[in-house]
Amino acid sequence: MDFDYFSYLFFGGLTRGSIYALIALGYTMVYGIIQLINFAHGEIYMIGAFTGLIIASVLTMMGLPSLAVIIIAAAAAIIYASAYGFTIEKIAYKPLRDANAPRLSALISAIGMSLFLQNYVLLAQTSDFLPFPSLIPDFEFWEPYSHIWTSAELVIFITTVIVMILLTFLIKFTKIGKAMRATSQDKTMASLLGINVNRVITFTFVVGSATAAIGGILIASHIGQINFYMGFIAGIKAFVAAVLGGIGSIPGAVIGALILGWTESFFTGYISSDYEDVFAFLFLVGILILRPSGILGKSETQKV
Amino acid sequence: MTATGEIKKSVLVSLWFMFLTFPIMVIRVNTVQDVVEWRWLNMAYIGIGTFFISMLWRYMIRRKEREGKKEKTDNLSFAQKIILDKKIFIPLVALTGLFIIVFPHMFSMYQTNIMISALIYVMLGLGLNIVIGLAGLLDLGYVAFFAVGAYSYALLNLHYGLVFWLALPLGGFLALIFGVILGYPVLRLRGDYLAIVTLGFGEIIRLVLENWNEFSFGPSGIPNIPKPPLFGVDLSLSGSIIYLYYIIVGLVIFTIFVINRLENSRIGRAWIALKDDEIACQAMGIDKARTKLRAFGLGAMWAGMAGVIFAAKTTFINPASFTIWESVIILCTVVLGGMGSITGVISGALLLILLPEYLRAFSEFRMIIFGAVLVLMMVFRPGGIINNVRKTYKFQKT
């Protein structure tokens, strides 16, 4: 077996997995708190990438240095994606929650939102693929390894790890993190203890959207092109990752994403790339049938 | 709330949206020529539009809350009154029937063709209505069964010369088999997982059709699918379209009849009960898995038959007609019309398919409107435009 090819696939899978993990976090956090599959999450990732691209191109044309461009574009993408996450929650989910609508309604509303956002970007921007400037520079010291693990992929991996650490810190040690955990366990009890449940839910949407936006910029500058449809498949795959790891569990989402990234990478590398997406879907169907609670998820028993 | 307070709130909302839509609506970058296009006019539109929409939005929310507080009396909506009043409803149905019969002779072939597609959607909507409206299972891969029907006619005709009239039941049957095979393992899952798995299944079918060239001829599709024959008589092009039109009308009527009967049957009541409360239902001795599987299979069968007609109508099919968004459009017709209500679903499908056809100017906004419709219906009127009238028994103290 060719070792270089193997490690190339291995690191490719790791990169894919990192991106899936960044998106899957948003899914799993929202699901953990309000048991809703936020279908529009993939679209937030797409909007993050678009905002990043637009701001970056404008700044580059103004002649700013590339480091400033990266920082401002990334910040803008994160802010805008969070703002979109916040607004979507207020428009499409909060009224339903207030009215105690069935879960099916919330899901339909989420699909509608996803369709709306996709076409909003399609109409306001373009249906073509837009080339994305590669914001991540090639490091010179990394030169000897770049044929198996490019420096862009390295940056993606490191960023993901940093985001994970920050997120873990946020949830484990801060007050709002504690409130999030309490809300996901029992909403009524949490509100009785003085937690503003609505604010916690909004905060969760904002944080999830921000991580998705980070994923969006990273993958866009790695692959080099974006279009309005990129959020859908990425969203579904991230969802597969979240379910695989056990939806609602944050370390589970990361593990699930890495497993999915690797299996996809090896599958396409050694077997066939035609059925790449089929494979992800089959994976999903398989997990849900064999182990619906995922790897790290707790199996729920229904109480009457 | 005072008027100034309202205006202040709306101004804030409109400012927020102007900020929110700024990069995507205002700036357009041409990366090839390195030109930035600033579209400030869009920002003004967004600002003014959202100002009024937010006013309307809050008014609607308040109205909905007031209605919710009111004691639920017999206040039926206008449409429901019409449906329940036999004196109006029966002549109305007769009139519609007459209109449907003379339709292809009154209007051009083009109009008839559009009507055929709309009626195919009516059939799909009614089939999906069994799954979503009655049994409460969110199926996002419904179009897969539609594809199974279309491809089974196209392929069986290509290889074995199977005629339309044999393909119609066979397509339905194959779709039913697919539905049962998929449904059997999947229906144990909870509602929202089911949605994702069916979505995945729909995409699998499409991707397989796209990639398995030896079987399905890949993305280039299958051309020259014959239209249905009429006892060996050679029909002209317009004749065959009119003939197809009557076939689909007949099938829609058959569908309405079957679903209407099903709804009030033992199994239909079991579906509705399952939708409301699974646990109570099982306690009453209803086999959950089997009942759900029946709904799933039957829904799939209708999609399969609609697929055969679709193949016969377009005479050319390829995988691009069976994307996930097609499923979402069908879902949209069911949701808009009113889940569970037959008249609702029919009017929803006709509205959603015919309106974009005639309002060509808005055709590019079609999908964005569909998305908005789904969200708005769920927020303001989860029952759809024509709420399903459930049979109720009132206990009166004497």
Side-chain angles (χ1 to χ4, degrees):
Chain A
M1 194 156 72
D2 188 353
F3 185 72
D4 266 9
Y5 188 57
F6 175 83
S7 36
Y8 166 77
L9 290 179
F10 178 84
F11 289 117
L14 191 64
T15 314
R16 267 173 198 245
S18 312
I19 298 293
Y20 291 155
L22 284 172
I23 314 171
L25 281 172
Y27 268 118
T28 211
M29 282 185 346
V30 167
Y31 192 91
I33 285 189
I34 50 173
Q35 280 80 47
L36 163 80
I37 299 173
N38 180 13
F39 241 97
H41 193 64
E43 264 53 61
I44 291 186
Y45 156 83
M46 180 265 297
I47 283 175
F50 259 90
T51 314
L53 166 70
I54 290 165
I55 302 282
S57 324
V58 171
L59 291 179
T60 316
M61 277 173 221
M62 283 170 150
L64 262 72
S66 64
L67 189 69
V69 170
I70 296 172
I71 292 170
I72 296 173
I78 291 168
I79 290 168
Y80 268 99
S82 311
Y84 271 93
F86 171 81
T87 315
I88 289 167
E89 200 267 329
K90 285 276 176 283
I91 291 177
Y93 306 140
K94 189 161 180 295
L96 291 173
R97 217 169 43 240
D98 291 346
N100 267 328
R103 273 161 69 171
L104 197 67
S105 307
L107 196 56
I108 293 175
S109 177
I111 296 165
M113 206 66 215
S114 163
L115 188 62
F116 182 87
L117 288 175
Q118 255 181 39
N119 285 279
Y120 154 68
V121 173
L122 166 70
L123 291 172
Q125 292 289 323
T126 169
S127 59
D128 302 332
F129 277 95
L130 285 178
F132 200 97
S134 59
L135 296 172
I136 307 167
D138 288 323
F139 305 121
E140 266 179 41
F141 72 89
W142 196 252
E143 195 60 44
Y145 313 105
S146 62
H147 64 293
I148 48 171
W149 203 17
T150 61
S151 46
E153 287 177 334
L154 178 72
V155 170
I156 290 177
F157 179 68
I158 291 172
T159 317
T160 312
V161 172
I162 293 172
V163 171
M164 296 299 157
I165 292 170
L166 286 179
L167 207 63
T168 317
F169 182 77
L170 176 84
I171 287 168
K172 281 262 155 76
F173 301 113
T174 60
K175 207 169 173 187
I176 185 91
K178 213 175 194 174
M180 278 164 80
R181 280 180 289 149
T183 311
S184 77
Q185 275 180 9
D186 191 332
K187 253 192 285 192
T188 325
M189 193 62 211
S191 63
L192 280 175
L193 292 175
I195 293 170
N196 186 342
V197 172
N198 271 328
R199 189 179 295 162
V200 170
I201 292 171
T202 311
F203 182 77
T204 312
F205 268 88
V206 168
V207 172
S209 307
T211 55
I214 297 173
I217 312 169
L218 288 176
I219 193 74
S221 65
H222 175 48
I223 292 178
Q225 55 177 12
I226 56 175
N227 84 336
F228 73 98
Y229 198 61
M230 68 186 267
F232 178 69
I233 287 286
I236 293 290
K237 285 188 180 163
F239 179 77
V240 176
V243 171
L244 175 61
I247 196 151
S249 142
I250 289 175
V254 179
I255 294 174
L258 288 178
I259 293 176
L260 184 69
W262 274 321
T263 32
E264 253 187 32
S265 182
F266 287 124
F267 183 85
T268 49
Y270 285 123
I271 301 169
S272 148
S273 62
D274 281 355
Y275 290 98
E276 188 191 330
D277 294 341
V278 174
F279 178 71
F281 287 125
L282 279 179
F283 216 67
L284 173 69
V285 177
I287 308 156
L288 283 179
I289 291 165
L290 297 176
R291 195 178 158 80
S293 54
I295 297 171
L296 293 185
K298 288 161 278 184
S299 65
E300 286 173 51
T301 41
Q302 206 171 18
K303 286 180 208 152
V304 185
Chain B
M1 173 89 55
T2 56
T4 41
E6 282 287 287
I7 290 172
K8 207 171 140 193
K9 250 187 176 174
S10 285
V11 168
L12 282 180
V13 170
S14 93
L15 282 178
W16 171 253
F17 272 94
M18 269 150 79
F19 161 73
L20 199 63
T21 51
F22 171 69
I24 292 186
M25 289 295 282
V26 177
I27 311 171
R28 173 143 58 186
V29 188
N30 190 333
T31 33
V32 183
Q33 292 165 347
D34 275 356
V35 198
V36 185
E37 189 189 337
W38 299 87
R39 298 171 294 177
W40 294 108
L41 209 56
N42 277 344
M43 189 179 228
Y45 291 147
I46 291 278
I48 296 164
T50 47
F51 178 78
F52 289 109
I53 289 172
S54 78
M55 286 250 193
L56 193 69
W57 177 277
R58 281 203 304 279
Y59 169 74
M60 295 284 280
I61 291 267
R62 273 206 301 280
R63 209 184 76 165
K64 200 186 153 205
E65 274 167 5
R66 268 207 307 279
E67 266 175 18
K69 272 179 202 152
K70 253 191 275 173
E71 197 57 30
K72 280 212 170 159
T73 44
D74 294 323
N75 53 345
L76 295 170
S77 68
F78 175 68
Q80 286 173 335
K81 271 181 203 151
I82 287 181
I83 291 169
L84 287 184
D85 194 342
K86 288 249 155 54
K87 264 183 208 150
I88 310 175
F89 189 59
I90 290 174
L92 203 70
V93 167
L95 213 69
T96 324
L98 198 70
F99 177 71
I100 287 169
I101 290 170
V102 297
F103 185 86
H105 303 289
M106 273 168 64
F107 295 98
S108 67
M109 224 167 75
Y110 172 69
Q111 311 285 350
T112 316
N113 244 330
I114 290 176
M115 204 59 186
I116 293 175
S117 354
L119 286 172
I120 289 175
Y121 275 97
V122 168
M123 217 170 136
L124 286 169
L126 286 171
L128 188 64
N129 185 37
I130 302 178
V131 187
I132 294 185
L134 298 181
L137 308 165
L138 185 53
D139 183 355
L140 289 180
Y142 194 63
V143 81
F145 305 122
F146 186 50
V148 168
Y151 267 91
S152 54
Y153 175 42
L155 287 173
L156 286 173
N157 183 275
L158 187 75
H159 295 304
Y160 306 107
L162 196 76
V163 290
F164 176 81
W165 288 111
L166 276 174
L168 189 63
L170 199 65
F173 181 70
L174 282 173
L176 181 120
I177 301 271
F178 261 83
V180 171
I181 291 173
L182 171 74
Y184 188 73
V186 154
L187 285 172
R188 289 180 304 147
L189 298 172
R190 258 203 340 259
D192 32 11
Y193 280 175
L194 180 76
I196 301 283
V197 171
T198 47
L199 184 152
F201 175 72
E203 284 293 279
I204 290 174
I205 293 260
R206 186 180 65 82
L207 288 167
V208 166
L209 287 175
E210 217 156 67
N211 287 314
W212 193 2
N213 286 324
E214 300 79 37
F215 172 72
S216 64
F217 302 96
S220 51
I222 305 171
N224 299 327
I225 303 165
K227 294 207 182 255
L230 174 66
F231 307 116
V233 184
D234 259 339
L235 289 163
S236 62
L237 184 61
S238 65
S240 68
I241 286 175
I242 291 174
Y243 180 51
L244 195 65
Y245 173 80
Y246 283 124
I247 291 175
I248 178 100
V249 166
L251 269 170
V252 167
I253 291 170
F254 172 68
T255 315
I256 295 170
F257 174 75
V258 170
I259 290 176
N260 196 21
R261 300 301 297 164
L262 271 175
E263 212 181 329
N264 297 320
S265 70
R266 186 189 167 81
I267 181 171
R269 279 176 285 136
W271 284 334
I272 294 170
L274 254 182
K275 184 179 149 190
D276 287 346
D277 193 333
E278 284 194 0
I279 298 167
C281 220
Q282 281 174 303
M284 300 302 286
I286 293 170
D287 186 340
K288 187 173 103 182
R290 190 185 290 176
T291 316
K292 279 185 174 177
L293 201 59
R294 277 183 191 152
F296 210 70
L298 268 173
M301 194 175 99
W302 252 271
M305 292 203 290
V308 174
I309 295 177
F310 176 76
K313 183 217 159 211
T314 52
T315 66
F316 164 75
I317 53 170
N318 70 350
S321 319
F322 308 104
T323 59
I324 146 90
W325 303 111
E326 213 60 33
S327 300
V328 176
I329 292 174
I330 305 167
L331 171 72
C332 202
T333 65
V334 176
V335 167
L336 177 73
M339 285 185 264
S341 141
I342 294 175
T343 14
V345 171
I346 294 173
S347 32
L350 290 179
L351 253 168
L352 276 187
I353 306 304
L354 292 182
L355 272 187
E357 285 295 339
Y358 291 112
L359 301 173
R360 274 282 165 208
F362 294 104
S363 61
E364 54 178 317
F365 298 109
R366 207 177 103 149
M367 291 309 270
I368 201 167
I369 291 172
F370 283 1
V373 160
L374 282 177
V375 176
L376 293 178
M377 288 312 279
M378 282 299 119
V379 172
F380 293 114
R381 221 186 141 87
I385 39 178
I386 301 180
N387 250 320
N388 191 21
V389 190
R390 292 264 286 267
K391 281 201 169 126
T392 45
Y393 173 74
K394 282 212 189 65
F395 178 71
Q396 280 167 334
K397 269 187 192 161
T398 46

